[in-house]
Amino acid sequence: MAWLAPTESDHQTRVQFEESMTIEEDITTKPLATREDVTVHFADVTRRKQVTGF
């Protein structure tokens, strides 16, 4: 729980977090329309993000 009140302070905080992404299933691939030497992959993914501090 946090209590908030107006202030004239110049201080601020930033959230610290850990993040990961897992490819669950590769669906399809195809060459990029503008560059055939680049392959585009389409997949189902899971993204995880956990706040670890402020």
Side-chain angles (χ1 to χ4, degrees):
M1 180 185 297
W3 297 97
L4 305 176
T7 182
E8 297 295 325
S9 175
D10 291 337
H11 299 340
Q12 56 181 293
T13 62
R14 293 181 187 240
V15 175
Q16 298 172 352
F17 59 88
E18 292 181 11
E19 188 172 16
S20 67
M21 186 176 295
T22 305
I23 299 171
E24 302 295 344
E25 182 181 355
D26 200 12
I27 297 171
T28 190
T29 61
K30 68 177 189 178
L32 186 62
T34 56
R35 286 194 51 186
E36 291 191 16
D37 61 324
V38 176
T39 303
V40 178
H41 293 258
F42 296 88
D44 287 330
V45 298
T46 299
R47 179 177 174 223
R48 293 176 185 87
K49 187 173 183 179
Q50 181 171 352
V51 175
T52 57
F54 292 92

